[in-house]
Every structure is written in C-alpha cells, then in structure tokens.
Amino acid sequence: MRPSFASFPLAATRLAAAGLAALALGACGDDGGGDPDAPAPDAQVDAPTDAGTDGGFVAPTMLSETGLYSDIGAKTIAAGVVEFRPRWELWSDEAVKRRWILLPPDTRIDSSDMDFWSFPVGTKLWKEFVRGGDRIETRLLQKIGPDDENASWFMVAFQWDGGETDAVAVPGGVVDDQGVNDIPDRAKCRQCHGSNRNPGVGLGFSALQLDYDAGAGGMDLARLVAEDRLTVEPTGAAPYFPLPAETGAPVIEPALGYLHANCGGCHNPRSDVAMNTVPVQLRLLTAAEHRSSWAVTPTYETAVNVLATLGSAGSHLVRPADTAQSAVYNRLNRVGALQMPPVGRELVDPAGVPVIAAWIDSLPPP
Ligand code: HEC
Ligand code: HEC
C-alpha cells in the first residue's frame, strides 16, 4: 500500500508548508513571490533584453530571428544546427520535446569541469514543446557574454501562433496556454538554468546526458570527441562514464537517471539549493570515485537512509522499502505545495513515479 501525499496529517503539512514558503523565499530570491503563476519582474533576473552588451545583443522577438530555421514555414532546420536528446528527460506534463544546439564554428566547449560544461559565446540551444500534435512553445538559451554569470545568458520562450507560422517571445510567460499548461516566464527559466543553480546553464547537453549511443548521425559524447569540440576529452571509449553494473542496475539506473535529469539541476553540489538550503544531491557525477558503486553516488550518500531536514513529506529523504516515509518520492508524487520540481510541471509523471517507487522498494532495509 502506497499512501498518497494527501494522507499525511494535514496540520503537520500545513505547518511545514508555511515554514517552507518562508525558507524558499529566503533561499531563492528569483522565485517571484507567493503566486507561482504570477509573471516575475523581468529586468532583475535576466540578461538585458535590449542592445548594449558586448556583442550588441538585441533580444529576438520572434523565433524566426533566432537562427533555428532556415525556412520556418517549411520547418527547415538551419545548417550547423544539430538535434540532440538527453538520455534521461525532464518530465514536462506530457509534452513531446525536441532539442537542438548551435555551437559557433571553430569553438570548443570548456569541459575542464566535466560535470558543468561552459559553452562558447554564441552558443544557442533550443527546446520545442509539442502537445497533442501542436507546437506550443520553443525555448531558447543563448550565450551572449563571456562568463557563465546570469547576465551572460539570455533565456526566453516563444509561443507558437495557431497556424504554426512563427512563434513570438513571451518574456513574461503565459498562464494556462491552451487552457492547460503554463509557459514559464524568464525568471522561472533561472530557477532551473540559473548559474547559481547549475554552473554552465545547459542541463541536457552535458557529459553524462550524452554518454550513450545516439545512433548514426546522432549527437552524443563520442561525436563531440570525434569532432574535437571539447577542451578536455574523456579518456577511453564510449561509454566514457559507465554507471555501476552491480546487481540491481536495471532498477537503480533508471531511477538515478530520472533524478539526475529532473532534480539534479538544483540538487547538485554547485547549486545554492544544496549549499544553502538542503544538502540533498540528486545529480550523478562523472568522477570515477562517484561511480564505482551505487553506494558512492551522491544520490545514495546524501539521500538514502538520510533523515529529511525539512521533515514535511516523510521522515527520510529515501527510506528503503518505504515510499510513504520517503520525501523524494512524496514530493515527486504530488502537485502544488511541496511539489518537486517546484516549477515547470503541473501534472504528476505517471511513468516516472513507478520508476522511483520500484527503486525505493528494492532497497534493503538499513
Ligand atoms: C523545472 C526546471 C526547468 C525550467 C523551469 C526550465 N528548464 Fe529548460 N531544461 C530543464 C532540464 C532539466 C533540461 C534538460 C532535460 C530535458 O531537456 O528534458 C532543460 C533543457 C532545456 C533546453 C535544451 C538545452 C539543455 O540545456 O539541455 C533549453 C533550450 C531550455 N531548457 C530552455 C529553457 C528556457 C528558455 C526556460 C524558461 C522559459 C526553461 N528552459 C525552463 C529544466 C528546466
Ligand atoms: C528548481 C530547483 C529544484 C528542482 C529542479 C528540484 N528541487 Fe527539490 N528543492 C528545491 C528547493 C529550493 C528546496 C527547499 C525548499 C522546499 O523544501 O520546498 C527543495 C527541497 C527538496 C526536498 C526536501 C529535503 C528535506 O530535507 O526535507 C526534497 C526531498 C526534494 N527537494 C526533492 C526533489 C526531487 C525528488 C526533485 C526532482 C523530482 C527536486 N527536488 C527538484 C529546489 C528544487
């Protein structure tokens, strides 16, 4: 029997939620206040929207200005733009997503920190969201300045018109687009992609997420190495950073990969969330010392059999064979207050939740 989050004692939950709201506000000044759907003030949180930075950057107002397509009507992707897919995906409320990258010619990704790549100026990344067969929005991350501070990255979503002829920038986001899902405002992009959360800003285009065989012509880590696109190359051959092949791998790896993609952007050792708020780390790391067994992964070291510090959604972060007392499970398996991730979704992931449950149920009691 796996009780839903709603069965937690109401008073305790309410109490904890009140405390948490205060904590969350203190921890992340970019959270934009109480109403999660309220558009956040643009200027304080993002790169400039007008000319004046190093490259004379002017914020695009239409998707057709960003260089993704050579012919947006025919949906022809421009030369030099390459599609990719992270091996573990973020759950985005049933949206089917496609992603592309443009690395400027003759540039390399600074991979001296293999877990947090730094992209060359001029890099553009796009992600398209399709629901019910219709293009809804396409998001852009563009590196416009030399470092990885927030001002060096421009982030915005473009909302497609009904005829899918073009998409218009919506810096303030759209609440309940098509009556269903929100398009995040620019401050919300920062909650996951901000350099204070994730140095390097890109999330899916990363070493571990690309260390799989994407097939002929696909974009993966081996191709980046072959095309000499990394300043520091991993040694050996793909997979360069294999995860433990121990017993249980078929149950454990999908769960830890899921947490890596859906949670690791904030719960990682370089994030203000892990440094200032809650020490839980749900991101896998490339170093061999963090991959030689499951027990040495940050996920196991900081979550399994570890007491929850905020004590609001279960006694432990992950309590073996006890989802009801596992905050990681309970926060994933709910919508609204205390949900995780706190932004970017309004539905529970019906495929992801059982993956996490199967892993927790498989863990031996301490
Ligand atoms: C809930 C956290 C979250 C929010 C909010 C969010 N993203 Fe992302 N984004 C991710 C994650 C995780 C990935 C990689 C996994 C995937 O694509 O499935 C990603 C991938 C992307 C990519 C593909 C490149 C890459 O990093 O892999 C782009 C482009 C992107 N996001 C842009 C945006 C923009 C622009 C916004 C705001 C309008 C935004 N995102 C809001 C978490 C988020
Ligand atoms: C956008 C950043 C962000 C993402 C992504 C995110 N979290 Fe969190 N998480 C936070 C913040 C901030 C807090 C502290 C405030 C709170 O508890 O709500 C937190 C707190 C938690 C806690 C409470 C820890 C404790 O000791 O009680 C758990 C458990 C948790 N997150 C799990 C997850 C899981 C599981 C995912 C992925 C499914 C996830 N988080 C994704 C930002 C994030």
Side-chain angles (χ1 to χ4, degrees), residues 71-104:
D71 178 346
I72 195 166
K75 305 293 178 292
T76 313
I77 299 297
V81 175
V82 180
E83 186 164 1
F84 72 96
R85 183 177 60 78
R87 63 172 155 168
W88 304 296
E89 296 189 47
L90 171 72
W91 163 250
S92 303
D93 291 354
E94 298 168 348
V96 176
K97 301 186 282 181
R98 294 179 71 187
R99 308 157 187 82
W100 297 269
I101 185 168
L102 175 76
L103 281 171

Side-chain angles (χ1 to χ4, degrees), residues 284-327:
L284 296 166
L285 298 172
T286 53
E289 72 207 67
H290 292 300
R291 285 184 297 107
S292 56
S293 73
W294 297 116
V296 299
T297 56
T299 315
Y300 273 65
E301 287 193 327
T302 69
V304 175
N305 287 314
V306 175
L307 288 172
T309 53
L310 302 175
S312 51
S315 58
H316 290 66
L317 294 166
V318 172
R319 188 156 193 258
D322 189 354
T323 49
Q325 291 300 335
S326 296

Side-chain angles (χ1 to χ4, degrees), residues 84-86 88-92 97-101 119 124-129 137-142 154-158 170-171 173 183-193 198 200-206 209 260-266 341-345:
F84 72 96
R85 183 177 60 78
W88 304 296
E89 296 189 47
L90 171 72
W91 163 250
S92 303
K97 301 186 282 181
R98 294 179 71 187
R99 308 157 187 82
W100 297 269
I101 185 168
F119 292 88
K124 294 180 187 175
L125 295 139
W126 295 265
K127 180 153 77 162
E128 175 191 86
F129 290 63
E137 52 158 322
T138 297
R139 300 181 185 177
L140 169 70
L141 298 174
Q142 180 173 351
F154 176 75
M155 311 183 182
V156 78
F158 298 83
V170 285
I183 298 178
D185 59 57
R186 298 170 81 210
K188 290 210 177 68
C189 311
R190 300 280 171 200
Q191 286 188 39
C192 296
H193 290 279
N198 180 67
V201 171
L203 281 166
F205 201 89
S206 55
Q209 283 280 35
H260 176 89
N262 284 268
C263 322
C266 293
V343 284
R345 74 165 175 90

